[in-house]
Amino acid sequence: VSPAFVAQLVLDKNAEQRRARLHQKWRNRLKHAQASGLTTTRQNMPHRADHWLLKADEAQQRHRGYQSWPIALTLAYARKNKGQAKLFQAFDGNQEVAAILILRHGTGASYHIAHATPRGKALSAHNLLMWEAMSWLASKGCQQLDLGLINTEEAPGLARFKLGTGARP
């Protein structure tokens, strides 16, 4: 069995300290997204199995050959933990281009599901949503964000994205 590493991000309340820990390229993509005209929203995860993020994640799992939680389990978490499953979405005009689902638990949170369309990727929407989520969580007293496993062999881009936030393995 090969070793596994999880990316853990400390969430300082001070935005300047959080920004200073961002990797320079990550910070540049964040600036790009902030200047792109995207709008963002934050809400509780709707209890709908047909939500576009859940369907996009399901398709991505099939395409890339991995498995995450079943949709029913994600929705059960949202129902049983009211207000603790937060959906952050980015829009280019009226079109959703990216989303992140964060699950809160105690003084921590977990990066659960994320997806960006090709347009969202071009606009660095994922960076903007992650920054919004980090800032919101810190403002609510959340102390750390678990970004999940880092797999530099099968998902090097995702590993760079996670570590670019200032997370530590």
Side-chain angles (χ1 to χ4, degrees):
V1 175
S2 58
F5 292 90
V6 173
Q8 292 286 335
L9 179 63
V10 173
L11 296 172
D12 296 301
K13 285 191 177 189
N14 183 314
E16 289 179 19
Q17 289 175 339
R18 283 194 316 276
R19 189 177 287 271
R21 278 199 303 271
L22 299 175
H23 185 278
Q24 182 179 353
K25 288 182 179 183
W26 205 100
R27 193 170 38 249
N28 289 341
R29 287 191 298 271
L30 174 59
K31 288 178 186 177
H32 174 249
Q34 289 171 325
S36 70
L38 291 171
T39 57
T40 62
T41 62
R42 180 191 71 246
Q43 67 186 75
N44 292 334
M45 181 66 198
H47 299 168
R48 293 185 13 240
D50 65 344
H51 189 277
W52 80 268
L53 173 60
L54 298 175
K55 290 300 182 184
D57 182 60
E58 193 174 53
Q60 184 172 276
Q61 287 179 50
R62 277 193 308 274
H63 177 72
R64 294 187 180 166
Y66 69 92
Q67 278 190 310
S68 186
W69 288 12
I71 290 174
L73 182 57
T74 296
L75 294 175
Y77 184 94
R79 273 192 304 278
K80 288 292 187 182
N81 299 281
K82 293 189 187 333
Q84 302 303 303
K86 290 295 182 189
L87 175 66
F88 295 81
Q89 295 183 96
F91 296 86
D92 183 22
N94 291 331
Q95 184 64 44
E96 61 267 314
V97 294
I100 293 176
L101 179 60
I102 301 288
L103 304 180
R104 294 209 43 207
H105 37 81
T107 60
S110 298
Y111 175 79
H112 184 59
I113 297 173
H115 183 77
T117 66
R119 178 76 177 143
K121 290 175 184 174
L123 295 173
S124 304
H126 204 162
N127 296 73
L128 179 61
L129 289 178
M130 181 59 78
W131 179 255
E132 294 288 324
M134 290 162 54
S135 298
W136 181 79
L137 289 166
S139 77
K140 297 297 179 188
C142 195
Q143 296 173 1
Q144 72 175 13
L145 177 58
D146 178 345
L147 297 178
L149 293 175
I150 301 170
N151 185 337
T152 57
E153 292 179 16
E154 295 175 15
L158 183 56
R160 274 190 305 276
F161 176 81
K162 291 176 179 182
L163 294 174
T165 65
R168 297 284 177 236

